[in-house]
Structure formats: C-alpha cells, structure tokens
Amino acid sequence: MAYSEKVLSHYETPRNVGSLDKNAKNVGTGIVGAPECGDVMKLQIQVDDSGKIVDAKFKTFGCGSAIASSSLATEWIKGRTLDEAMAIKNTEIVQELSLPPVKIHCSVLAEDAIKSAIHDYQEKNGLDHDHADASEHTKA
Amino acid sequence: MALKLPIYMDHNATTPMDPRVLEAMLPYFTEKFGNSASRNHEFGWEAEDGVKLARKQVGGLIGADPKEIIWTSGSTESNNLAIKGVADMYKDKGRHIITAIHEHKATLDPCKRLAKMGYDVTWLEPAADGIVTAKQVAEAIREDTILVTIMWANNELGTINELPAIGKVCKEKGVLLHTDATQAVGKIPVDVNAAGVDLLSGSAHKIYGPKGAGFLYVRRRKPRVRLTPIIDGGGHERGMRSGTLNVTGIVGLGKACELCRLEMDEETARLSKLRDKLDQGILSQLEHAVINGKADQRLPQTTNISFPYVEGESMMMAIKEIAVSSGSACTSASLEPSYVLKALGLGDEIAHSSIRFGLGRFTTEEEVDFTIDKVVTAVKKLLELSPLYEMVLEGIDINAIEWGAH
C-alpha cells in the first residue's frame, strides 16, 4: 500500500474536520456511502446569501484515500459558488491525490458527497435541482 | 533499549524462524544433502536419519507415533489431502461431510469442490462466540457421514473449538475426525489420542520453523485411516504423498516442534500475560472496543479486537509501525469484510474495523506497551473523524439507516 504524499498529508492532518449545524437553513449536508462497503462520507457546506460556499466540514469513515478525498473536497469547495462546486469532477481529485485505480471509488464518493450536500441545501431553500441525481444519495 | 520499528504482531500469519531451527537445518543443505529415499549409500542414510528424528519430534509434540506423520508442503496441502483423500477413499460408505462456515479457506475450498462433485456438505454456524460445539457436531452427524473436519483453533479469532468433546462424539458415532490444527500445534497442548482425532494438519512456519514444510497426522490404529493420495509418484510416505522429501524443511519442522514441546509452558505463561495486558490496555481506554470470539477460550497469544465506527484500513495506516492483520475489506481483493467475523453475526461497521494481534516468541513487553499507546491514539483520532460515531453519539441507530449502494 503505497500512498502518495498528498494522501498522507491529508490523512495525517485532515483539513476541515468537524460538523456544522445540520438544521441550519444555510447548511447543506450530504452523507454518502455505506458502512457495509467500508466508506461513509459526511460533507457539509455553509452557504452565504450570494450562493457562495463560505465554510465546509467533513467526517469520513473509510480508508486513507477516502479521508484524503473528502478532506481535499472541502478545501476545494470553500470560496466557490454552488455551480462551481457542482462542476468538480472526481477525476480532478484522482489526479491531485495520485489515487491508484483501486481507490478511484473514493474520489467518486467525494464528488457525490459534494453534490449531495449542495442538493440538500437547495432542497431546504426551495431552489431548483436535478432530482434524479439526488435520489441516488443516502439520506440519514 | 530503543524499540526497533516496525513491530511484528502478526504471528498467526507466519513466524520468524528460531535461530536454533536454522542451525539444525543448515547441515542438510550442504553436507547432508542426500535424498532420504536413497537406501544404498551413506548420503541417503544421513538424510533419512534427519527425517526419522523429525518424525519423532513432531509425533512427540502431538502424542502420535512417528509412523503416523505424513510430510507435506504445509497445512493447505495437508487439509486437501485429508479431506479429498478421505472423501474419495470412503465414498462407497457415504458422501456426507461436516465442516463449519468460518474454517480456513484451505478447508472451505476443498469442501466446496467436493460439494460440486456431488458430496453433501453440512456447514455448521458458530454462535456469536465463534465456538463450534460438540453438540452441533453430534446433531449434524448422519448415517452417511464419512468425515467431520473442524479446526482446532481459529486463525482469525484464536478461539479454540470444543476439541476433545468433538472427538468423543465422532468416536461414538464411528465418524473420522480431521482437524486443521495449524494455529494450535505448538501453542497449546495437542494430543491426538486424548482428543480423538484421526487426521491432523500442521505447519512449520507458524511455529518458528521454515515455510514450505508441514505434516498430516494419519491415524494407523483404531481405526486405521486410509487415504486416496492427491500426488502420485514414487510411493513415498506410505503411498499417501509421493515426491522427494524436503529434508531441510522437515528437519526444521522437527526441531521447531521439539522447541515448542520443551518451552510451551513457559512461553504460554509469558505470552498470555502480555496478551491480557494488550487486551486490558486497549479495552480500558476505548469504551467501544470489543474482543471478537470467546475471550476465555482462545490461544494464549492471539487477540482479535473490533473498533466500531473506525474503518480498518485507515486504522492500519494510523498504526503503520505495527504489523497486524485486519478484517477490513480494503486489505483483501474483495469488498466483503472478513467472512469469519461475519460468521459471528457482527455488523459490517464492526467487521470492517477489526484487528488481529498475534504475539510471538520474540515479542517484548515494550512492544506491547507501544502497541497499546499507538492503537488508543489512532482510534481516538479516527473516532473524531467518523460520521458513524457522531451519529451514534446523537442517538441515531446506524443499522436502521437505509444506506445507498455505491
């Protein structure tokens, strides 16, 4: 198991670990994965009035690559608009962290977590969103 | 003394060779290199003497006659020979075999192959404590049962099955009993007669001997067990396993068994104390940690602990200075967590985060202390990171959630 330096860095000192108030209207929560598969990610965003993500937090049950993927995701989405965050692709995470093929699912999960958090925020605030996409995600 | 890292805590996987074993083996590579089957010259006799001594040493450890030891390449071969050999030899008597779902793959797979060939296999399921009981075996035995194969001690849990009792049941019903004793031999007292065992598999590399050497005990009297060989050839090993003997490996296996016999009491006392210290050190500091398998019916140097809400591979990463084995899916080819832990009825979130610690002959107290510290620190850190733990603290039942597939 050889991890890239970036994975190790995120694993050793994960960024943005924690929780936001899931009941707050300006917070979107995404929980994806399943304990059975050995990966569960919770990613939360706090959005300001202009639609910009001002804070992001995560907690992840999963391997080092899963922790690194979600840690990186929170880093990337902070300061972005919802649309910009929505556009993040798992392949960018794979590239940034040099994930091997067996760990690509971790990046997919991180992308799903971002989208799921955004959908939750949009739903709470009565905004448009692609419903079919959100239905794939786990709701706690 | 400074601790040398990494620390090896995976002695159920394999063990380092004892230098005394190596010393016994060395002459057989160079000076005494003969083929033990060469009956007509000094070189062959020398090698044969080495093999003879090893037979006595192995027999001495398990209470068997030296003639009842069949050399193999290791326990996987021994299990295959025992299970397939009995199945074929006694097929006219019956075609029913009894085993358990949390046996080693080297037992499960031969049984599955036999099932495909038309044999009927009963798969016993342990209770949550991991133990296969004599009662279960007794209830499963039928008219047409020809073999019961139940391991002495489980490789992942260290749990010890009801062995003398299972042997007694099999004797009463006249059914042959094979036991994969790979983990038990050399660690706890094993006596084939007291336990009523007819066939027993063992391996050198689990007991500070070399890899590639093992044995199958095959009872010669009351009853005389017969086997159809898997490997045909020169008729070595009473015709049950042909092929030039691995003399160096066999000499090493013999010496390893002798050392285990002489030092078992002392070693068991020392290692069970260290193992208990490890258990208590971890359990007393981590409220959710649990021992898997019946805690007071285990090998003295093994413990398997689950750390709920923490994932196994990240756990291994956090304690990378310590070589252990995990029941996590990520460490194996499949996505499934350990089938042994699942057999105990553990939830996935628990089976995914279990670690087997295997102490050994050269494990020191300093290493155990270091391990306790590392594990406790790692788990505390990962619990902070765990969304599952957060849910539990919030009073959410994570088993009641419908998780998405991914």
Side-chain angles (χ1 to χ4, degrees), chain B residues 342-402:
Chain B
K342 299 266 284 188
L344 308 190
L346 293 187
D348 287 316
E349 78 286 0
I350 297 177
H352 264 297
S353 52
S354 68
I355 291 197
R356 177 187 68 187
F357 301 90
L359 284 63
R361 186 170 287 169
F362 308 106
T363 302
T364 64
E365 183 154 16
E366 289 72 32
E367 289 177 330
V368 169
D369 291 336
F370 180 88
T371 302
I372 295 170
D373 273 357
K374 271 278 158 188
V375 167
V376 170
T377 310
V379 172
K380 285 187 171 163
K381 175 192 160 174
L382 291 168
L383 283 176
E384 279 294 301
L385 262 175
S386 170
L388 300 179
Y389 185 55
E390 187 181 64
M391 290 176 192
V392 170
L393 291 181
E394 286 173 11
I396 298 169
D397 178 4
I398 56 178
N399 290 313
I401 295 173
E402 256 188 56

Side-chain angles (χ1 to χ4, degrees), chain B residues 84-93 119 226-229:
Chain B
K84 294 174 182 169
V86 164
D88 188 76
M89 181 59 74
Y90 296 90
K91 60 179 183 281
D92 294 333
K93 206 177 152 213
Y119 287 81
R226 295 161 69 224
L227 293 177
T228 304

